[in-house]
């Protein structure tokens, strides 16, 4: 193709974008867009001609063509023998300082041209995502994008969802569907819970028994009868190739997958596979993969053998998740009874001058942090990691009352806000179907309005400390989420509300305006066959699969 004959040029540091072109301007556009999350600044010109999508966008760049396809933008790949594009066009470029934020962008739409400027490829991705959400009908009933000017950037850098594969492992295709939904709403962190008492889900080449033995439990509680087992063995894990595939798929959508390897508690599956890693000197030691939900006593021994094991696991984790700067190490709900009964654990406490088992947990976490740091990773832990002393370089994920963030912020630690009062999406949303498949862990009313009306920065935090709040995350623990249909019902629309509080400036939030835009998400969700929760509590899709 003779590039000198093309109308418009496009640049991108990673070579993503080429030149794109369209047909004539559209008729007047009177409908407002329903962009979620709401941009930081948006000025629409309703009643004026928009940018027509009557004909597909043409690009000579195969990578951009694929990218626009996945976002749902009408597009066509130009053949090599096309010498001239005629008509309006779109261009994108990267340059530092566009919005002062690496994920920010500016977007200008006129009847003849769309112009994107961003600081990074991520900014261009989010601008294109905004375009995909901006498609409306013009006065002639054809698809168009209103003329508008947008300057946009996220409020928080961490905008996450947690996926629990330990209790129920979703398929690779289902996880990719989750990733697509996250990307559509500009969520950018998938926290992947891969190890727990009820199963170890990450293949390890060095420790194959982790999945051969630790990846299998003898039964699972019955939905609606949580204290009764179904008598059916459950086994699942992700091969390393599957993990690489998921990580790459997410990266192409500017989502970082952050792995979680639980220590020192929630370790029954690992200890069952390799009993020498547990407190084998306690009476009645007989670990097994847990078949019920809850908190259980098996905890890693604070031995050199355990730390060698974890270092080897971290080596594999680093290879599988190269783009995540973090390893989440859990650190929560770690009963100390086995350490109290273990002569070896008590010996370690005495040798290191530790006053109690809480300080032993802090010692354990610090040892693990050094292993992660040595491999170029930082750690994240649940807020229990501050018990016995918080490492000054650890990031704390606050899941209990938000007040637990204060100590970490005052000490100068980064925090990610996930308090269960607002961001545990496995909790009840209020009215729900009278169906055991829709059982939840509690009977509260954590609906999307409660999510939207929250703020990740708790009152009393000074500006210097506010900068330490990396962001916010919704958690989807899967004890009571047996199917993808149920996952979608629990996640949506709450994840959409989460996306807005994570991205949009606090002063721009408006619950009535958001509700209007939320209702306009239904066609997109229906097109993706998402079983979202309706306002009356019923699921959107047919519930044949339980």
């Amino acid at each position: 193709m003779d590039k000198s004959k093309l109308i418009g040029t496009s640049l991108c540091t990673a070579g993503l974008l080429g030149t794109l072109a369209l047909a004539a301007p559209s008729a007047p556009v009177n409908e407002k867009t329903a962009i979620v999350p709401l941009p930081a600044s948006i000025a629409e010109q309703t009643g004026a001609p928009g940018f027509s999508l009557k004909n597909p966008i043409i690009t000579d760049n195969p990578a951009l063509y694929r990218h626009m396809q996945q976002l749902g933008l009408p597009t066509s790949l130009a053949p090599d023998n096309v010498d001239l594009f005629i008509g309006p066009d779109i261009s994108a470029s990267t340059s530092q300082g566009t919005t002062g934020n690496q994920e920010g962008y500016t977007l200008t739409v006129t009847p003849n041209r769309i112009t994107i400027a961003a600081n990074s490829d991520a900014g261009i991705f989010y601008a294109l995502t905004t375009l995909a959400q901006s498609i409306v009908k013009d006065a002639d009933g054809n698809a168009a994008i209103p003329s508008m000017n947008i300057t946009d950037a996220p409020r928080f850098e961490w905008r996450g969802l947690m996926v629990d594969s330990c209790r129920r492992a979703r398929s690779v295709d289902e996880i990719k569907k989750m990733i697509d939904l996250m990307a559509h709403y500009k969520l950018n962190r998938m926290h992947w819970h891969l190890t727990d008492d009820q199963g170890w889900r990450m293949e390890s080449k060095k420790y194959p028994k982790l999945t051969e033995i630790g990846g299998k439990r003898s039964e699972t509680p019955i939905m609606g009868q949580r204290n009764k087992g179904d008598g059916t063995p459950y086994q699942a894990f992700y091969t390393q190739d599957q993990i690489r595939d998921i990580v790459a798929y997410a990266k192409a959508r500017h989502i970082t997958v952050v792995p979680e390897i639980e220590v020192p508690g929630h370790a029954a599956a690992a200890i069952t596979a390799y009993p020498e890693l547990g407190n084998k000197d306690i009476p009645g030691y007989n670990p097994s993969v847990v078949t019920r939900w809850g908190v259980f006593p098996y905890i890693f021994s604070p031995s050199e053998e355990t730390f060698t094991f974890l270092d080897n696991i971290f080596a594999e984790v680093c290879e599988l998740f190269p783009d995540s700067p973090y390893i989440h190490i859990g650190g929560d709900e770690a009963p100390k009874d086995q350490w109290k009964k273990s002569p070896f654990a008590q010996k370690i406490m005495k040798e290191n001058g530790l006053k109690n088992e809480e300080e032993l947990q802090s010692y354990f976490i610090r040892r693990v942090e050094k292993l992660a740091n040595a491999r170029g990773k930082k750690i994240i832990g649940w807020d229990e990691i501050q018990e016995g002393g918080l490492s000054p370089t650890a990031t704390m994920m606050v899941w209990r009352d938000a007040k637990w963030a204060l100590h970490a912020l005052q000490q100068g630690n980064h925090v990610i806000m996930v308090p269960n009062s607002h961001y545990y999406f496995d909790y009840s949303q209020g009215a729900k179907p009278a169906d055991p498949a829709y059982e939840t862990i509690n009977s509260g009313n954590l609906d999307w309005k409660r999510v939207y009306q929250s703020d990740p920065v708790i009152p009393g935090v000074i500006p210097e400390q506010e900068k330490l709040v990396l962001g916010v995350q919704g958690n989807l623990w899967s004890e009571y989420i047996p199917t993808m249909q149920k996952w979608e019902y629990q996640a949506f629309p709450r994840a959409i509300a989460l996306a807005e509080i994570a991205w949009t400036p606090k002063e721009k939030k408006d619950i009535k305006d958001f509700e209007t835009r939320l209702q306009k998400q239904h066609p997109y969700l229906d097109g993706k066959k998402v079983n979202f929760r309706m306002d009356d509590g019923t699921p959107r899709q047919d519930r044949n699969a339980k």
Side-chain angles (χ1 to χ4, degrees):
M1 181 183 295
D2 182 359
K3 297 296 192 295
S4 65
K5 296 182 181 180
L6 295 177
I7 298 175
T9 59
S10 302
L11 304 172
C12 184
T13 53
L16 173 65
L17 296 178
T19 300
L20 300 90
L22 280 171
S26 72
V29 175
N30 298 310
E31 183 182 357
K32 290 189 67 176
T33 60
I35 303 167
V36 179
L38 184 69
S41 173
I42 177 171
E44 294 184 53
Q45 298 178 29
T46 56
F51 190 76
S52 176
L53 296 176
K54 187 175 181 180
N55 295 315
I57 302 170
I58 302 173
T59 176
D60 62 337
N61 187 306
L64 178 57
Y65 170 71
R66 291 191 297 270
H67 189 56
M68 297 183 76
Q69 272 194 320
Q70 76 187 30
L71 289 172
L73 287 165
T75 184
S76 178
L77 185 64
D80 290 338
N81 60 357
V82 171
D83 292 326
L84 180 65
F85 292 165
I86 300 174
D89 67 348
I90 176 172
S91 66
S93 63
T94 55
S95 60
Q96 292 299 313
T98 302
T99 64
N101 184 296
Q102 279 301 107
E103 295 178 292
Y105 64 91
T106 60
L107 171 64
T108 302
V109 181
T110 70
N112 297 308
R113 188 173 183 81
I114 295 175
T115 305
I116 298 168
N119 289 335
S120 68
D121 290 347
I124 291 176
F125 176 87
Y126 294 131
L128 290 173
T129 302
T130 294
L131 283 178
Q133 288 194 359
S134 300
I135 299 173
V136 295
K137 298 289 186 181
D138 65 17
D140 294 333
N142 297 315
I145 299 172
S147 295
M148 59 185 176
N149 292 287
I150 291 177
T151 300
D152 200 12
R155 181 184 178 193
F156 294 107
E157 67 175 84
W158 188 291
R159 308 180 300 279
L161 282 182
M162 188 279 293
V163 177
D164 173 19
S165 289
C166 300
R167 283 55 177 252
R168 319 269 191 174
R170 301 267 60 85
S171 72
V172 171
D173 286 344
E174 288 172 335
I175 290 178
K176 287 181 177 180
K177 183 179 181 182
M178 297 176 193
I179 290 169
D180 285 338
L181 293 168
M182 290 176 64
H184 187 74
Y185 295 107
K186 300 185 176 78
L187 296 170
N188 69 344
R189 298 288 188 275
M190 190 185 100
H191 169 186
W192 200 2
H193 189 69
L194 288 166
T195 74
D196 213 300
D197 292 313
Q198 293 84 7
W200 183 287
R201 305 297 175 217
M202 184 192 84
E203 179 189 26
S204 168
K205 300 296 187 182
K206 192 172 185 63
Y207 299 98
K209 292 180 183 179
L210 288 172
T211 51
E212 292 171 2
I213 297 174
K216 182 178 181 178
R217 60 177 179 258
S218 60
E219 63 179 5
T220 299
I222 297 174
M223 291 294 292
Q225 301 181 58
R226 60 184 67 185
N227 294 316
K228 182 179 180 181
D230 60 11
T232 302
Y234 183 94
Q235 185 170 20
F237 70 92
Y238 301 93
T239 68
Q240 293 198 354
D241 284 343
Q242 287 175 322
I243 291 171
R244 291 187 189 97
D245 181 32
I246 288 168
V247 169
Y249 190 87
K251 182 179 180 180
R253 290 152 181 79
H254 292 275
I255 293 173
T256 301
V257 182
V258 179
E260 181 177 359
I261 305 297
E262 275 270 9
V263 301
H266 286 281
I271 291 172
T272 302
Y274 294 94
E276 63 271 21
L277 300 175
N279 299 278
K280 53 185 181 292
D281 57 347
I282 64 174
Y285 182 70
N286 184 29
S288 62
V289 180
V290 174
T291 61
R292 296 292 184 269
W293 314 135
V295 179
F296 299 91
Y298 283 98
I299 188 170
F300 281 115
S301 169
S303 65
E304 293 306 313
E305 189 170 15
T306 295
F307 294 121
T308 297
F309 163 79
L310 291 172
D311 188 39
N312 290 331
I313 290 296
F314 284 178
E316 292 185 280
V317 166
C318 291
E319 191 274 326
L320 294 171
F321 301 89
D323 298 312
S324 172
Y326 299 100
I327 298 174
H328 199 303
I329 51 84
D332 64 313
E333 298 176 331
K336 311 300 189 297
D337 291 346
Q338 291 191 348
W339 279 351
K340 290 178 180 179
K341 297 174 182 178
S342 166
F344 177 79
Q346 295 299 310
K347 175 175 172 287
I348 293 296
M349 288 174 57
K350 184 176 181 180
E351 290 175 351
N352 290 275
L354 307 174
K355 293 180 292 186
N356 51 44
E357 286 73 21
E358 284 69 31
E359 289 192 1
L360 178 57
Q361 174 163 329
S362 180
Y363 162 85
F364 194 105
I365 296 297
R366 288 173 189 266
R367 289 287 305 270
V368 169
E369 182 179 25
K370 288 180 180 178
L371 297 176
N373 292 165
R375 296 190 177 278
K377 303 289 188 182
K378 296 177 284 187
I379 66 164
I380 299 173
W382 302 107
D383 55 52
E384 286 96 331
I385 65 171
Q386 69 180 326
E387 297 171 2
L390 178 62
S391 163
T393 55
T395 296
M396 195 170 79
M397 193 168 269
V398 181
W399 74 275
R400 297 180 293 180
D401 192 289
K403 68 182 181 181
W404 291 96
L406 284 175
H407 171 67
L409 293 173
Q410 290 167 354
Q411 184 173 301
N413 291 76
H414 285 102
V415 302
I416 300 163
M417 300 302 294
V418 298
N420 57 0
S421 58
H422 291 83
Y423 306 133
Y424 267 43
F425 294 170
D426 56 318
Y427 282 19
S428 173
Q429 303 171 74
K432 59 184 183 295
D435 184 332
Y438 282 78
E439 179 187 12
T440 60
I441 191 172
N442 66 9
S443 58
N445 186 23
L446 205 176
D447 62 7
W448 71 260
K449 292 180 181 179
R450 182 169 173 81
V451 176
Y452 191 83
Q453 291 170 327
S454 69
D455 189 77
V457 179
I458 59 178
V461 173
I462 61 177
E464 290 77 10
Q465 295 169 346
E466 183 172 350
K467 295 175 183 177
L468 298 173
V469 180
L470 293 182
V472 62
Q473 175 174 289
N475 286 351
L476 284 144
W477 302 102
S478 64
E479 288 95 332
Y480 301 96
I481 304 181
T483 66
M484 185 64 178
Q485 289 88 349
K486 177 70 181 299
W487 189 94
E488 293 166 355
Y489 178 86
Q490 293 298 120
F492 293 94
R494 289 186 290 191
I496 304 176
L498 179 86
E500 181 133 317
I501 66 171
W503 183 284
T504 303
K506 181 180 178 181
E507 63 274 13
K508 293 283 187 179
K509 286 171 55 181
D510 182 322
I511 193 167
K512 290 184 179 179
D513 176 65
F514 175 78
E515 186 167 15
T516 298
R517 286 179 286 118
L518 181 61
Q519 294 299 316
K520 292 183 177 181
Q521 304 306 306
H522 290 186
Y524 168 78
L525 296 172
D526 283 338
K528 295 293 184 180
K529 295 182 170 55
V530 175
N531 184 39
F532 61 93
R533 180 184 186 271
M534 299 292 288
D535 288 341
D536 64 359
T538 59
R540 182 69 166 185
Q541 302 293 331
D542 177 60
R543 292 182 287 122
N544 292 326
K546 300 294 191 221

